[in-house]
Amino acid sequence: MIDLQGIEKAFGSNRVLRGVDLSIGTGTSMVIIGGSGTGKSVLLKCILGLVTPDAGSIRLDGRDVANAPRDEFLARFGMLFQGAALFDSLPVWHNVAFRLLRGANRCPKAEAREIAVEKLRRVGLKPEVADLYPAELSGGMQKRVGLARAIAAEPEIIFFDEPTTGLDPIMAGVINELIREIVSEMGATAMTITHDMSSVRAIADHVAMLHDGVIQWTGPIAEMDATPDPYVQQFINGRAEGPIASVR
Amino acid sequence: MSLTSPFAATGRVVLSALATLGRVTIFALQAASHILRPPFYTREFLNALMQIGWFSLPVVGLTALFTGGALALQIYAGGARFNAESVVPSIVAIGMVRELGPVLGGLMVAARVASSIAAEIGTMKVTEQIDALVTLSTDPMKYLVAPRVLAATLAVPVLVAVGDSIGIWGGYLVGVTRLDFNAATYLKNTVDFLEFWDVASGLVKGAVFGFTVAVMGCYHGMRSGRGAQGVGRATKLAVVSASVMILAANYVLTEVFFSA
C-alpha cells in the first residue's frame, strides 16, 4: 500500500503540488490523469525520492519512505520513463539487465543476459534486438525495452510515466495491453501517469485526477464516466469549456 | 537608483561567485571520496580511460610537436640577439616539460574532454537517464563521475609525458634541420640540462589539470538545464571554467614548485 498525505512541492514561486492525499492499494493499478504541467511527474518523482517534497508524508506498507534504506526501497520499484531513458552507451540487453548486473542481488552475466532476452521476448521483441544499441531502435521498440527493464527484476511496484506519449495509436494500444497483461500476471502494484484516455481505460483499476496541485477526484474506473465531477468530465471528454482553464 | 545599488549589485555577484565556488568544491570532494569507496565500476573506468587518454593522444601530440618546433625557432631568434643560440635545446626541453607540455596538453584535453563529458552527462540528465540510474539503485556520482575523474587524473600526466617527448622531438627536428644544430650535441644538451623535478612537476600539474577538467565537465553536465540550449550552455561553461582553472592552477603550482 502506498499512502500519500499532504504532499506539497514548489519550484520557486510555482506551487506544483498543494497537498496531495492518495492511497494506492497493493496489487491495484492506479492511473493519475491531469493536464500537462499539473505535477503528475513531480508526484511520481517525489515517491521515488528523485524530488524531495516540501511537506507531507509518503508511506509504503505503513513505513515512512524517508527513513527506509534507499537501496532496499528502490529494489521494490520498476519504472518506465516517458522517453524510455535507455542508456545510449549500453546494448539493449545490458539496459534490461542493468539492475541484475549490480548491487546485492547481482547474478552472473550469462544468467542476466538470459533473463534480459526472456523479458524482451515478453514485451514482443526478438532475441536479435538484445545486441542492438538504443539509437538503433524505433520509439515503440525503445518503450518496449524500457518496459522490459522495468520488469526485469520482478518488482512489486511499477511506475509508468506517460507510457504512450509519442507513439502511433496502434503501438500505443500494444503498449497499453502489454502493461495491463504484465501488471496482472506479476500481481504488481502499478501507478501510471498519463493524459491519454485510451491508456486510462486499458490500464486502470482506479483513477485519480490531479489538478491545481490536489487530487480533485478519485474512484474506480467503472465510476469515472458517470461521475458528476466537472473536472473529470471536462478532461475525459476533452471539452474546452469547464472549470479547467484552457489556453487558446 | 539609490546610492547603495552598485554596492548591492557587487555584493550579489561576489556572493554568487562564492556560492558557485563552494558548490564546485563540495562536488570535487564528493567525486574524490567516491573514487576511494566501493562499488568500483571498472568497465566505466576503462572506457573513460580510452576516451580521455588514448583518443586525446593525436591532438595532444600534434599540439606538442608544433609548439616544440615554434619554441625552438623563437628561442634561436631571441638568443641570437646576445649570442646565446646554444641554449635552444635546454630551453626547449625545460619550457616543454615545466610549462607548455602540461598547460597546452591540459587546455587541449579541456577542449576535447570537458566538453564531451558535459554534453554526455547533460544529455543523460535531460533525457532522464540519470533519474533512471537512481531508480536502478545506482549512484550517478559513483557510476558517471568517479570513473571519469579518476581516468582523467591518471591519463593526463601520461598525455603530458608523451606531449613533452613529442615537443622536445619537434624542437630537435627544427634545430637539426632548420637551425643547423649537430644532432648529437642537441640531444646531449637536452639531457644534461633537464632535471628530474622539471619533469615530475609537469606530471603533477598534469594530474591536477586532469582532475580539474573531469570535475568541471561532470559538474556542469550534472547541473545542465533542460533541452538543447541547456546542454549547450553546460558544455560551454565546462570548457571555459576548466580552461580558466587550469591556467589559475598552473600559476599557483608554479609558485609552489619553483618560487625561491
Side-chain angles (χ1 to χ4, degrees):
Chain A
M1 160 85 96
I2 302 171
D3 192 30
L4 312 178
Q5 291 292 328
I7 302 298
E8 293 180 21
K9 181 67 190 176
F11 296 97
S13 60
N14 181 19
R15 290 180 64 205
V16 179
L17 303 178
R18 301 168 181 237
V20 172
D21 300 319
L22 186 67
S23 290
I24 303 161
T26 303
T28 62
S29 174
M30 169 67 80
V31 174
I32 298 177
I33 57 174
S36 299
T38 50
K40 303 187 298 293
S41 294
V42 174
L43 180 63
L44 195 145
K45 288 181 179 181
C46 282
I47 299 172
L48 285 169
L50 297 171
V51 170
T52 308
D54 299 330
S57 76
I58 301 167
R59 293 184 168 276
L60 180 60
D61 295 337
R63 190 174 181 189
D64 193 335
V65 301
N67 304 324
R70 194 88 183 109
D71 284 352
E72 192 185 303
F73 167 74
L74 286 170
R76 299 177 67 181
F77 285 86
M79 169 135 181
L80 171 59
F81 284 85
Q82 187 172 346
L86 302 177
F87 306 126
D88 304 322
S89 59
L90 302 177
V92 162
W93 81 265
H94 212 132
N95 266 278
V96 175
F98 195 89
R99 191 192 282 281
L100 306 171
L101 291 164
R102 288 165 183 82
N105 300 323
R106 71 188 296 173
C107 56
K109 205 170 173 179
E111 190 185 332
R113 186 187 162 94
E114 207 171 293
I115 293 170
V117 169
E118 167 55 24
K119 297 299 178 189
L120 287 170
R121 189 203 58 73
R122 179 65 194 87
V123 298
L125 294 173
K126 292 176 180 168
E128 299 89 89
V129 173
D131 292 313
L132 299 178
Y133 280 81
E136 298 173 271
L137 306 178
S138 67
M141 289 169 90
Q142 288 188 9
K143 281 276 164 103
R144 288 179 193 231
V145 174
L147 183 54
R149 182 173 70 182
I151 63 171
E154 313 245 322
E156 298 164 44
I157 304 157
I158 313 176
F159 286 175
F160 302 97
D161 185 359
E162 307 275 10
T164 56
T165 297
L167 301 181
D168 66 69
I170 296 169
M171 184 53 70
V174 170
I175 295 289
N176 286 335
E177 272 179 33
L178 271 173
I179 290 174
R180 182 73 253 185
E181 283 172 22
I182 286 167
V183 167
S184 299
E185 75 190 26
M186 289 174 67
T189 304
M191 183 169 157
T192 307
I193 57 177
T194 184
H195 40 58
D196 175 357
M197 290 312 298
S198 65
S199 290
V200 178
R201 294 181 198 288
I203 297 170
D205 295 328
H206 285 77
V207 180
M209 166 116 195
L210 181 65
H211 183 71
D212 269 346
V214 295
I215 299 294
Q216 296 284 353
W217 177 85
T218 184
I221 180 73
E223 294 175 12
M224 183 180 72
D225 288 319
T227 180
D229 186 282
Y231 293 93
V232 175
Q233 285 304 320
Q234 184 187 356
F235 188 86
I236 65 175
N237 293 303
R239 294 189 197 120
E241 303 299 325
I244 304 172
S246 58
V247 179
R248 298 194 207 195
Chain B
M1 196 172 100
S2 74
L3 282 173
T4 56
S5 292
F7 296 106
T10 308
R12 276 195 295 274
V13 170
V14 171
L15 285 175
S16 169
L18 288 174
T20 303
L21 187 64
R23 278 195 297 270
V24 172
T25 306
I26 290 168
F27 187 87
L29 291 173
Q30 284 176 339
S33 83
H34 280 294
I35 287 171
L36 302 173
R37 290 181 288 131
F40 303 112
Y41 293 104
T42 313
R43 184 177 179 274
E44 281 63 39
F45 166 70
L46 293 175
N47 188 34
L49 204 58
M50 284 295 285
Q51 293 295 329
I52 296 167
W54 182 250
F55 293 122
S56 295
L57 266 176
V59 70
V60 171
L62 283 170
T63 305
L65 178 70
F66 292 122
T67 304
L71 193 59
L73 287 173
Q74 288 282 18
I75 294 164
Y76 185 83
R81 294 177 191 169
F82 40 91
N83 297 320
E85 296 93 332
S86 61
V87 298
V88 169
S90 51
I91 303 291
V92 165
I94 291 171
M96 281 306 301
V97 299
R98 278 193 183 189
E99 281 295 322
L100 293 173
V103 172
L104 291 180
L107 289 175
M108 296 314 289
V109 172
R112 191 184 167 277
V113 172
S115 57
S116 132
I117 290 176
E120 186 181 1
I121 294 181
T123 305
M124 288 185 76
K125 190 179 176 209
V126 300
T127 57
E128 295 187 303
Q129 290 179 51
I130 292 185
D131 284 346
L133 274 178
V134 176
T135 63
L136 292 164
S137 306
T138 302
D139 185 344
M141 284 297 287
K142 278 203 182 303
Y143 185 76
L144 296 175
V145 176
R148 284 166 173 78
V149 172
L150 179 61
T153 308
L154 296 177
V156 175
V158 177
L159 286 171
V160 167
V162 174
D164 288 349
S165 308
I166 294 175
I168 291 170
W169 182 61
Y172 166 85
L173 282 181
V174 170
V176 171
T177 58
R178 290 267 293 105
L179 308 174
D180 295 330
F181 274 85
N182 175 275
T185 311
Y186 192 103
L187 287 176
K188 186 174 183 309
N189 281 352
T190 298
V191 175
D192 284 352
F193 284 94
L194 212 52
E195 293 178 3
F196 170 76
W197 184 235
D198 294 328
V199 179
S201 66
L203 301 185
V204 173
K205 282 182 176 181
V208 173
F209 299 163
F211 181 82
T212 305
V213 164
V215 163
M216 296 319 293
C218 293
Y219 173 79
H220 288 291
M222 295 290 262
R223 290 179 60 84
S224 169
R226 288 183 178 181
Q229 198 176 24
V231 176
R233 188 166 182 274
T235 306
K236 177 186 72 183
L237 285 173
V239 176
V240 171
S241 57
S243 303
V244 171
M245 286 184 72
I246 282 173
L247 296 172
N250 179 57
Y251 173 74
V252 173
L253 290 173
T254 305
E255 278 280 7
V256 171
F257 293 155
F258 299 108
S259 63

